[in-house]
Amino acid sequence: MGKGGGCFPSKKKQPTVASDQAITIAERNAPLLTEEKIEGSEEVVEPAGPPVVETKVKIFIVFYSMYGHVEALAKQMKKGVDGTDGVEGVLYRVAETLPSDVLEKMYAPPKDPSIPEISAAELVEADGILFGFPTRYGCMAAQMKAFFDSTGQLWREQKLAGKPAGFFVSTGTQGGGQETTAWTALTQLTHHGMLFVPIGYTFGAGMFKMDEIRGGSPYGAGVFAGDGTRQPSEAELSLAEYQGKYMASIVKKLVHT
C-alpha cells in the first residue's frame, strides 16, 4: 500500500503474557527449601564444649594431737564436712616439735602415717579451716603455736584474710580451758584477718545436757582427756561431727555468694 495507507502488523513475535504469569504462579507454589536441605540431609550439630568439672569446696582440718583425743574429734569432724554436698574435708597434722625419746617417755602413741603434715603455705588452698589442739594452761599447745608462728609470710601478704576458721580443743579437766583455749587462740585469726566461725548454741538441746561429763562450748567441739586414758564420749563425737557439718554449710555459702 502506498503512502497514507494503513500499517501492516509486525512479523516479530510478541512475549506471551499468559505464559509468564503461569511461570510466576508456579514459582510461588513451589515448596521452599529448608536449611537442612540446603546444607545436607543431616542435621547440623554444633561442636560440644569441654566438660564442666565441679570443684568441691575444701575445708582443711588442721590439728595437733599427742594422745589421740584431738585426732578422734578431727576424724569425726571430717565425717560432718564430707556429709555436706559439694564440700570435702581434708585432714592435716602440724609438725611435732618434741624429740622422739621425749615422746616415748611421755607414752605418746605413734602418729597415723596416713595423715600428712601441712606446711604454712598450703593453708591458702583451703576455702575454710578448722584448727584443733590440746590446751596448755588455757592456751594452745606449743606445737600448734609453732605452726602459727611459721605463717609470718602469709600474714605479711594477708593471704588468709577473709578466710573462715574455727577451733576444737582437748583439755585435761572440766575447768581446764574448754573456752579459754579457743578464746586465747583468736589473736592468731585476728592478725591474719580471718573470720572466726563459732558454733554458738546451734547444736540445740545437746548443748544444755547436764547428765554426763561433756566437753565442748559455744566456741567449738571439745573433749575431756583426763589423765589421757579417757576417750571421747558419743556426745563429744556428735558435737564434733555437727561442727564439721555446720562449718561446711557456712563456708559453702560464702564461696558461692
Side-chain angles (χ1 to χ4, degrees), residues 178-216:
Q178 287 286 315
E179 291 193 7
T180 59
T181 306
W183 179 61
T184 53
L186 287 175
T187 57
Q188 313 299 314
L189 304 187
T190 301
H191 283 267
H192 279 286
M194 302 179 78
L195 308 177
F196 178 50
V197 183
I199 59 174
Y201 285 88
T202 59
F203 190 52
M207 298 288 289
F208 299 93
K209 287 184 177 180
M210 299 291 291
D211 55 349
E212 64 174 317
I213 296 175
R214 174 188 58 78

Side-chain angles (χ1 to χ4, degrees), residues 116-133:
E117 287 187 3
I118 190 172
S119 66
E122 291 176 282
L123 291 178
V124 298
E125 301 171 8
D127 296 299
I129 308 171
L130 287 163
F131 294 102
F133 36 83

Side-chain angles (χ1 to χ4, degrees), residues 5-161:
C7 296
F8 291 97
S10 173
K11 294 182 179 180
K12 188 181 291 185
K13 187 176 181 180
Q14 299 295 324
T16 306
V17 177
S19 177
D20 289 345
Q21 290 178 344
I23 293 173
T24 303
I25 294 173
E27 289 175 348
R28 290 177 180 176
N29 294 334
L32 295 175
L33 293 176
T34 62
E35 185 179 350
E36 288 79 4
K37 291 182 179 179
I38 294 173
E39 297 186 4
S41 58
E42 296 183 359
E43 183 180 355
V44 179
V45 179
E46 293 294 331
V52 178
V53 180
E54 182 181 357
T55 303
K56 286 191 173 184
V57 173
K58 288 188 179 296
I59 295 179
F60 287 4
I61 304 171
V62 182
F63 67 92
Y64 173 73
S65 185
M66 178 174 286
Y67 294 105
H69 298 82
V70 175
E71 184 172 323
L73 294 185
K75 290 179 176 179
Q76 198 70 21
M77 206 162 284
K78 176 175 166 56
K79 291 183 179 180
V81 173
D82 292 344
T84 305
D85 185 49
V87 187
E88 177 185 8
V90 185
L91 291 172
Y92 287 106
R93 69 173 73 250
V94 301
E96 179 61 77
T97 58
L98 292 176
S100 57
D101 59 331
V102 173
L103 291 172
E104 289 177 6
K105 292 177 181 179
M106 296 177 71
Y107 302 103
K111 303 288 192 293
D112 184 350
S114 67
I115 302 176
E117 287 187 3
I118 190 172
S119 66
E122 291 176 282
L123 291 178
V124 298
E125 301 171 8
D127 296 299
I129 308 171
L130 287 163
F131 294 102
F133 36 83
T135 189
R136 299 292 185 267
Y137 304 110
C139 299
M140 65 175 64
Q143 289 85 346
M144 182 60 74
K145 183 60 170 63
F147 175 75
F148 273 110
D149 288 347
S150 72
T151 63
Q153 188 62 34
L154 298 179
W155 163 78
R156 184 181 181 86
E157 300 176 5
Q158 286 294 284
K159 292 287 189 180
L160 303 180

